[in-house]
Structure formats: C-alpha cells, structure tokens
Amino acid sequence: MNIKWFKYSSPQTFYPLAGKMIPWFAWLAVVLAIAGLYVSFAIAPTDFQQGEAYRIIFVHVPAAWMSMFIYIVMAVWAAIGLGLNARLSAMMAQALAPTGAIFTLLALVTGSLWGKPMWGAWWVWDARLTSELILLFLYLGFMALQSSIDDPRRADRAGALLALVGVVNVPIIYFSVKWWNTLHQGSTINMGVAPKMAMTMLLGMLLMALAFWMYSIAAALMRVRCIMLERERSADWVKELSAGGKS
Amino acid sequence: MQWASWSAFFNMGGYAFYVWFSFGLTALCVVWEVLALRKRSQQALRLSKLLAQD
Amino acid sequence: MALKARHKRFVLIGIGLALIGLAAMLILNAFQSNMVFFYTPTQVAKGEVPKNTGFRIGGLVEAGSLKRGDDGLTINFVVTDTSKTVPVIYKGVLPDLFKEGKGVVAQGKIGADGLFVASEVLAKHDENYMPPEAAAALKSAQEQSKTLVMPTK
C-alpha cells in the first residue's frame, strides 16, 4: 500500500496517469452537465415566489460549493506538501487555485445577478457576501504569492502558509447565515434535515454540482501536468518524455 | 415540459437577462479555462522538446 | 529520524491551525455587534440601535399594513418580528419580492416619532423552493390546522 502511494507521488509516474484520467473526468463532466441542464430547465418547476429567476440557483449554488470545497482540498494538499516536503502535493495545491478562483468569481457574479431582481440590490455588505469576497482575495493572494517567489520550494512553503491561514474563512462563509443575520437566505440543504426544496429542483442542483466537481478535477489535472513540465524541465523524465515524442 | 413555447423559454418569465447572463458567463469561464490550459500545455510540451534536443 | 521531523512538522501545522482558528473566533466575537446586517424591531424598541446614524431594520412586512400614497411612489408599511413593530415610510422602487407577510430589510433613519424613514428597501426571501401548487397545498394545510386549533384556545 505504502509503496504504491509513494510511487504515484512522484511526478514522472503521475504525469502519464493524470493524462489517462483527464478524458474520463472531462466526459463525466459533460454528461452530468447535459443531464443537469436538462433537469434544471425542462423538468424543474417554476418557483412559487421567485418565478423563473430562481433557476440561477443551478449555477450559483454549485459554483459556491465548489469555491469552498476546492479551497479545502487545496489547503489539504498544501499542508501535505508542507509536512512531507512533497513537491507533487504542492503542485496539486497550485493547480487547484485558479479553478477555485473562477468558481468563487462565478458564485459572486451569479449571486449578484440573482440579488438584483430578487432582493433589489446587486451587492450588500452582509456576512455571507463579504466572506465569499474574502475567499476570492485569498485565492488571488495565493496565486500572486506563488508566482512572486522565484524559488519554487520557497514559493510552495509561503503559499501553503497562506492557504492554511485562509482555511478558517471557509467555515465562516458556510455558517455566516446561521451565526449572524444576513440578507442572504439560510442553507436549503442541511445535514440531517429534509432539503427545503422540491425533489426535481434538488436533482438539478446536485447534477450540476457533480458536473462542476468532475470538471474541477479534469481542469486541475490538466493544470498540474503543465506545472510539472514547467517546473521539472531539466529533469530526466521530462527529457525522456519529450525525446520519445509522446505527450 | 415547463414551457408553452420556445419564446417563453427564452423569456424566462421576464428574468431572461439575469438567468442567461448567469449561465452564459459560467459557460464562457469554462470554455476559456479549457482553451487556456490547452495552450499552456502545448507551450510547455514544445519548450521541453526544444530543451530535450539540445 | 526523517519520520520524526515529518511528524513534528505536522504537529506544528496542527497547532498553527488551531491558533488561527482561535484567533478568528475571538476576533469575530469581538466584532459580533458589527456583524449584524440589520436590527429587529425588538432591538429598536429596546434602544439597542445606533443613535443619530442610519441603520437597517429587518423583519416581515406585517399583513394588511401596506398603504400606497396618492403619488403612487410613497408607501407606508409596518415591519414586525411578531413581538414588536416599526412603522416605515419609503419613496422609491420596490423589489419584485416585496410583499405583505414576506421578509424585508430597510436602510434608513428613525425619527423622534418612531417612524423609520427608509432610503432603500430590499426583499429578504427564505431558503424554500417549491412549485406554486405545492406552496398552495402547504398553505391550505396550515390554514386547516389553524382552524382545528382555534376552538381550544
């Protein structure tokens, strides 16, 4: 068990493995997104108070979930990289950040597009919206910090520290609607309680969330392959790979 | 089916701008990220091939 | 030895995370009063709201309290949290979801007469999503149970 794990934790074995995994996750994402969009627009009924505007939920909530989930995964990889001094883990954290930042931006913008017609405001400084904006800054800060330090090992360590400090923000985002009064509504999906939403609506949201999840894995694997090539250009395995002419 | 006609579907109960902007922007971001990643990996491969030839 | 150093690093990371979490908790606790987005009518009645400056009140638009002025723009309504109420006057555009019996958050100032002059009115909706038929069924079921409870009161 241990031997296998360490085998795949080296870039030269992980690079081709990631290459094989990407199409699977990409196709899963496409199929799930088609199913999710079909349920979201053709099957899910009109909402009793928000009419058709509520359909923004089918991108907004999955994007917001992914923005928080990717941050946690990124912080875990960063912690493993910091603790084990493992360069592949640090590369995984680095590969996840831009995708997480995109989902954070999407959560903020789609939320704004939902807030204007329903609440009457594009933006308010309540705890939920503000903490999600801080999440975007954490992603951007992580990316800026990583790229501003030339020595990759030092960049990994600095980035890992920022990622770990920022992880406290994730529970704050999640529980903000419980801890403080906000304009943002509470959670529709809660542990141990029946979801406060019609089944077909829930199905659409979950399918879209799964599609985003699979997409995130595919995108992160694509990016980690780029990072491996860029960072280990002078390593023997990259030279062999390039000389062999295989991608 | 929820919709009486295609125009009703596109109209989204009067919220067309907000709903389609949200979905359109999401699609745009995904397409942009995939294209950017393709370009980046092609560049990285080309560069490491050049280095391997030396 | 290598394993020991590794363990030590993870312990340090764990302690660091715990300390950051604790610091965040203390900071959030200290700023608790600044984290509220709006005050409830009960807080207004108790005088727990900022004096001489604007703030937000939140609650439900009391059923039957909504009155529109002759100019078609000025509106009066009452915000309630089911125990206390605050009357509000507002001139301007209302969000689509503004309705009697539904959530509302209004930004403005309260006068000496207790009338809240709002400069902005936002709708606060809940986290329930369902088709209109289900909402109607739920409502009629609630009304039925109400009439059942009534006689015992």
Side-chain angles (χ1 to χ4, degrees), chain A residues 35-238:
Chain A
L37 285 171
Y38 182 75
V39 174
S40 304
F41 282 106
I43 294 177
T46 305
D47 182 58
F48 74 112
Q49 52 183 0
Q50 300 190 34
E52 309 301 347
Y54 96 96
R55 292 187 198 274
I56 295 173
I57 204 173
F58 296 120
V59 281
H60 174 72
V61 169
W65 278 348
M66 288 317 296
S67 73
M68 293 186 278
F69 180 62
I70 290 177
Y71 195 94
I72 291 175
V73 177
M74 182 181 97
V76 168
W77 280 120
I80 294 171
L82 195 64
L84 297 178
N85 214 355
R87 60 193 203 281
L88 183 59
S89 307
M91 289 184 210
M92 279 305 294
Q94 208 187 332
L96 280 161
T99 304
I102 289 172
F103 279 123
T104 314
L105 185 73
L106 281 175
L108 289 167
V109 176
T110 57
S112 190
L113 286 163
W114 193 5
K116 183 60 187 170
M118 293 296 105
W119 298 341
W122 295 104
W123 181 264
V124 292
W125 292 100
D126 83 349
R128 171 54 74 79
L129 278 69
T130 309
S131 55
E132 182 76 11
L133 185 65
I134 291 171
L135 185 72
L136 180 65
F137 294 154
L138 283 169
Y139 275 122
L140 297 179
F142 176 86
M143 286 154 65
L145 188 64
Q146 282 264 357
S147 61
S148 70
I149 303 174
D150 285 329
D151 177 11
R153 288 304 179 97
R154 277 187 58 217
D156 287 345
R157 276 198 293 275
L161 285 178
L162 177 66
L164 287 171
V165 170
V167 89
V168 285
N169 189 43
V170 175
I172 292 175
I173 299 172
Y174 189 78
F175 291 109
S176 57
V177 288
K178 259 194 196 147
W179 291 345
W180 304 291
N181 59 30
T182 53
L183 186 61
H184 196 286
Q185 67 279 11
S187 308
T188 298
I189 317 289
N190 286 301
M191 287 283 190
V193 197
K196 297 165 184 163
M197 138 184 261
M199 275 318 287
T200 47
M201 296 174 174
L202 180 68
L203 180 70
M205 211 164 86
L206 292 180
L207 282 170
M208 290 302 281
L210 277 174
F212 281 18
W213 191 1
M214 296 304 116
Y215 168 76
S216 304
I217 296 174
L221 288 176
M222 278 176 86
R223 192 173 288 108
V224 83
R225 268 164 63 99
C226 298
I227 295 170
M228 283 178 199
L229 284 184
E230 288 159 4
R231 274 174 62 162
E232 314 225 328
R233 221 159 248 155
S234 48
D236 287 338
W237 72 269
V238 177

Side-chain angles (χ1 to χ4, degrees), chain C residues 3 16 33 39 54-55 65 69 74 98 105 114 118 146 152:
Chain C
L3 205 77
S33 57
Y39 294 90
F55 61 93
S65 74
T74 312
F98 182 87
V105 173
K146 253 186 217 161
T152 59

Side-chain angles (χ1 to χ4, degrees), chain B residues 32-49:
Chain B
W32 173 80
E33 193 183 16
V34 170
L35 289 180
L37 281 170
R38 280 228 174 130
K39 204 175 143 199
R40 185 174 168 183
S41 72
Q42 275 161 9
Q43 265 170 0
L45 276 170
R46 203 179 311 135
L47 200 61
S48 41
K49 268 190 192 133

Side-chain angles (χ1 to χ4, degrees), chain B residues 20-41:
Chain B
W20 296 124
F21 197 150
S22 297
F23 281 83
L25 185 76
T26 307
L28 211 70
C29 282
V30 167
V31 169
W32 173 80
E33 193 183 16
V34 170
L35 289 180
L37 281 170
R38 280 228 174 130
K39 204 175 143 199
R40 185 174 168 183
S41 72

